[in-house]
Amino acid sequence: MKRLGVVVAIVFAAACGKVLETPTDGATDDAGDAPPDVSVPGTVRVTVLDRAGTGAPAVGSVVVFVDPDGTQTRKITDGNGQAEAEVFAGASVTSIATASNGKTMVTVLAIAPGDEIVLGNAKVDVATAGTFVVNWTQLGGANDYEIYGPCGFQDSAGAGVTTKTITLRNDCNPTTMELLIRARNSANATIGFSAKSNISVAAGSTAMPAFVGGLTFTASYTNLSKATELDMDRRAPDGFGFGIATAPDITGLTSVTTSAVVPTTGSARVDSTFSTPVFEVQEIHQRLAGNSTTYGLDLAATALPWINKPMLDVAAHTIAVSADNTGTSGDAPDLVESSLAWRRGNSSFSWTTFGPTVDSIVLPALGGDEADAMPAVGDALTVNRVKAYDADTIADYAAIREAIGAALEGVLDDAPLSPANLVRTSQSSAGN
């Protein structure tokens, strides 16, 4: 959610959740007798799902809870893939999956008593939900037709074909949908579009309107700084839809305008990607009406802070992370993801952490049977990258920390059917 200012906090700092005792005899406590605030621990339950994405519970996985003072509680997931422990606010939880060729760790930082955290994603149901018949009138000069629907590119048809049965999947089977057909000539150039909104899926079929030409869509970008590359992709009817991209050179510019001929649809999305010479990347996904002819983006007022190259301190088990507000809104993100990977001989390790702030990350110091999961001197680092996410439909980190996987897949991580009108990400270059 868009907010002003950047919240800077130590990820393992203890949060609120304290009880202040007061005297019952009418007396006034003096400084020497008043009991101090005491943090109250509570239960956190974690459900670990199979890393292969089947949605099945991960039975027998190691889960380590770490309190803000470093106290660790090691648990093994039960038959439901669950484990729980008593922790204080500001604790973290890490799941560890061991394979013959290494280990995979996932950590959720800044958890709180009462949380029921899911690590992993439920299986996406891509089974066939049904079929739908699309009819259209042949367009002279058309060599083929491309059909786009709620599952993105649905199918194609050759010259002379005027009907097609498309398949809908359970993961993209709305009550009403929008369809777009693009007609191309023998040189693969677009010669017409046919679009229709609010189609009842239950009707089983629809007749598309006559083909028409596209409209000229102009995107204007202002207050550019730091970025030297821009890619604009206008997609319709949604993030899955037909895309038309332009890539104007913005080196040294503070503003730029770019245009493309696009279909008129009920809805559309503009994806803007900004890059720097050191491979920092910002993405801004914004929904708009499908008949809009103009789009304006003030980068300084919209972009999340740039994320500097992260650096791994092996001895301190710390990933140094910092932000650069140059030419950005300075807004704090909803979620920050750190991805770390390394090799040790023939073994591969990866560690993903999720937290609320763009700040240095202290990896939980795993011990015992999990001690070898810590990065060590001599390891070959292969990935060290940090990415921040923000959506206007998410209040803050607390609103999604119990189901981060679902939030990433459904809203934040370039989700084609995201319900958000504005999704922003900022990604660092690779660190060492």
Side-chain angles (χ1 to χ4, degrees), residues 61-423:
S61 289
V62 176
V63 176
V64 178
F65 299 85
V66 182
D67 271 316
D69 66 357
T71 301
Q72 297 190 13
T73 303
R74 184 181 186 273
K75 293 294 182 76
I76 303 296
T77 57
D78 60 19
N80 295 316
Q82 295 182 334
E84 61 181 47
E86 295 287 305
V87 300
F88 291 89
S92 70
V93 60
T94 301
S95 69
I96 302 148
T98 301
S100 59
N101 62 338
K103 286 183 168 69
T104 300
M105 285 68 66
V106 177
T107 296
V108 178
L109 304 168
I111 63 177
D115 282 352
E116 298 207 6
I117 294 171
V118 177
L119 294 177
N121 294 328
K123 184 178 180 179
V124 177
D125 186 359
V126 295
T128 298
T131 58
F132 192 89
V133 178
V134 184
N135 301 293
W136 63 92
T137 301
Q138 185 172 348
L139 178 63
N143 185 66
D144 64 14
Y145 303 92
E146 294 178 336
I147 305 170
Y148 295 84
C151 296
F153 174 74
Q154 297 280 174
D155 211 334
S156 62
V161 177
T162 59
T163 187
K164 195 74 177 182
T165 300
I166 63 173
T167 300
L168 301 177
R169 303 193 309 262
N170 284 332
D171 63 320
C172 49
N173 181 28
T175 303
T176 61
M177 64 179 173
E178 184 169 5
L179 294 175
L180 170 69
I181 302 178
R182 174 197 183 200
R184 301 190 302 175
N185 62 20
S186 58
N188 294 327
T190 301
I191 59 173
F193 297 103
S194 175
K196 190 175 183 179
S197 303
N198 300 316
I199 302 169
S200 170
V201 173
S205 67
T206 193
M208 298 294 289
F211 284 89
V212 296
L215 57 83
T216 299
F217 176 77
T218 302
S220 299
Y221 296 89
T222 56
N223 290 320
L224 304 175
S225 66
K226 193 167 181 175
T228 55
E229 295 183 21
L230 164 65
D231 290 291
M232 187 279 288
D233 189 7
R234 195 266 198 185
R235 308 194 70 85
D238 50 46
F240 268 129
F242 168 66
I244 296 179
T246 64
D249 183 5
I250 62 171
T251 303
L253 300 180
T254 58
S255 63
V256 70
T257 298
T258 184
S259 299
V261 177
V262 302
T264 301
T265 52
S267 62
R269 193 177 82 171
V270 174
D271 299 334
S272 305
T273 303
F274 302 88
S275 306
T276 71
V278 292
F279 309 111
E280 300 160 325
V281 177
Q282 296 243 16
E283 294 182 0
I284 298 173
H285 308 285
Q286 194 158 20
R287 297 175 68 180
L288 69 162
N291 62 352
S292 299
T293 59
T294 60
Y295 172 75
L297 177 65
D298 182 337
L299 185 64
T302 310
L304 292 176
W306 299 96
I307 300 179
N308 296 319
K309 180 179 179 180
M311 302 298 289
L312 173 65
D313 185 332
V314 172
H317 303 153
T318 299
I319 304 171
V321 184
S322 60
D324 177 4
N325 290 340
T326 302
T328 74
S329 67
D331 291 342
D334 295 320
L335 176 69
V336 178
E337 175 185 15
S338 168
S339 301
L340 192 68
W342 65 95
R343 293 191 60 82
R344 183 182 303 149
N346 294 323
S347 298
S348 297
F349 299 82
S350 68
W351 200 326
T352 303
T353 69
F354 296 104
T357 58
V358 180
D359 200 2
S360 293
I361 299 164
V362 180
L363 298 172
L366 304 176
D369 293 339
E370 286 69 58
D372 66 337
M374 303 302 300
V377 175
D379 290 344
L381 188 65
T382 56
V383 176
N384 186 10
R385 185 168 280 113
V386 175
K387 188 172 184 178
Y389 304 84
D390 189 87
D392 59 4
T393 55
I394 295 175
D396 53 23
Y397 177 71
I400 60 172
R401 69 169 177 252
E402 292 183 279
I404 290 173
L408 285 170
E409 184 174 300
V411 182
L412 293 170
D413 197 12
D414 194 19
L417 298 179
S418 173
N421 288 317
L422 176 65
V423 177

Side-chain angles (χ1 to χ4, degrees), residues 23-38:
T24 58
D25 58 2
T28 301
D29 288 340
D30 60 35
D33 297 329
D37 289 356
V38 290

